[in-house]
Amino acid sequence: MKFALVGGERREPEPTLTGQCPGCGETVTAKCGTQRVWHWAHKGLRTCDPWWEPETEWHRRWKNLFPVSWQETVRRSETTGERHIADVQTPHGLVIEFQHSTITPAERVSREHFYRDMIWVVDGTLAKKDRPRIDKGLPDWRWQPENKYTAKFLVENFLPSFWVKCDVPVLFDFDGLLVGPSTERQNHLICLLPNRYREDQAVFFPMARSTLVGIANNETSIPDWREICRDLDANRMQVPTASNRLQVLYRR
Ligand SMILES: [Zn+2]
């Protein structure tokens, strides 16, 4: 965790500090080494949130694009009392989860159900093959404008298959730490929308990091997939023609 309560105030870790976990209230110790990003840790190996993953520089860079008060927000279910710490939650209740490591399908579904209004941002640099796959499968994706929506069959041929059936939007970050501040306005993320166009095609579009920050600030929004499908139906946007062969393969 980046934040713990010290004397009732949210503080970042500093050598020798101890604090209180904002999730469970137990004592946490500041870990300020050289191997990992400075963080707060519970005693031993335990953590109060089973969904929490060890943080990397990638997590921190993303979180730091958002106001401190939005980072590491404790969410509690009023019905079950279940508690989790969201990476970022906006004042409008939108949760953004930055996912670096692999998780089980069951955990992914649980998290989507728990937060409901959420977006995944997935580290596409974790598996070495993922970036070459999209660069080969969709060679021009980096040069597409943000409002260019594409519907394609078999998106798992170029996007990480684990994430292609989510019930919430998924943003793939294939550049990770390679992207510097000067390129953050470029369309380097792929936003895959939930649901399907005519049931079997997935709709996606490129997005700049700065747009994601704008979404959180309520300046922009992720377009409604239904509207996009209507536009695709009306042929006002370019619809890729899928070969019959692909269609047959997919439906088998
Ligand atoms: Zn805790």
Side-chain angles (χ1 to χ4, degrees), residues 90-164:
T90 73
H92 311 283
L94 173 71
V95 165
I96 307 174
E97 287 281 86
F98 301 102
Q99 193 60 35
H100 167 77
S101 56
T102 51
I103 53 173
T104 64
E107 180 180 327
R108 192 195 76 214
V109 171
S110 301
R111 286 164 73 169
E112 290 173 5
H113 284 179
F114 184 80
Y115 292 126
R116 292 188 183 277
D117 189 10
M118 75 167 285
I119 298 172
W120 290 107
V121 178
V122 173
D123 186 354
T125 64
L126 184 65
K128 296 257 180 295
K129 63 178 184 349
D130 285 345
R131 188 172 149 139
R133 269 174 85 231
I134 184 151
D135 286 340
K136 189 168 174 229
L138 276 181
D140 61 347
W141 72 274
R142 286 173 191 278
W143 294 277
Q144 298 289 342
E146 275 197 311
N147 56 1
K148 158 95 184 201
Y149 306 110
T150 307
K152 270 197 190 293
F153 294 91
L154 293 170
V155 285
E156 54 271 50
N157 280 351
F158 49 87
L159 292 176
S161 59
F162 180 81
W163 297 100
V164 303

Side-chain angles (χ1 to χ4, degrees), residues 133-221:
R133 269 174 85 231
I134 184 151
D135 286 340
K136 189 168 174 229
L138 276 181
D140 61 347
W141 72 274
R142 286 173 191 278
W143 294 277
Q144 298 289 342
E146 275 197 311
N147 56 1
K148 158 95 184 201
Y149 306 110
T150 307
K152 270 197 190 293
F153 294 91
L154 293 170
V155 285
E156 54 271 50
N157 280 351
F158 49 87
L159 292 176
S161 59
F162 180 81
W163 297 100
V164 303
K165 295 262 169 75
C166 290
D167 287 330
V168 300
V170 184
L171 277 82
F172 296 95
D173 174 9
F174 290 106
D175 295 318
L177 298 178
L178 297 174
V179 168
S182 62
T183 49
E184 279 183 355
R185 299 195 72 80
Q186 294 176 11
N187 300 338
H188 283 311
L189 304 171
I190 287 265
C191 179
L192 179 69
L193 291 176
N195 302 299
R196 291 289 180 267
Y197 173 61
R198 288 185 187 145
E199 293 187 357
D200 46 12
Q201 285 173 289
V203 179
F204 57 89
F205 58 96
M207 190 194 274
R209 284 156 194 264
S210 52
T211 303
L212 177 58
V213 179
I215 285 167
N217 284 313
N218 231 21
E219 289 157 5
T220 51
S221 62

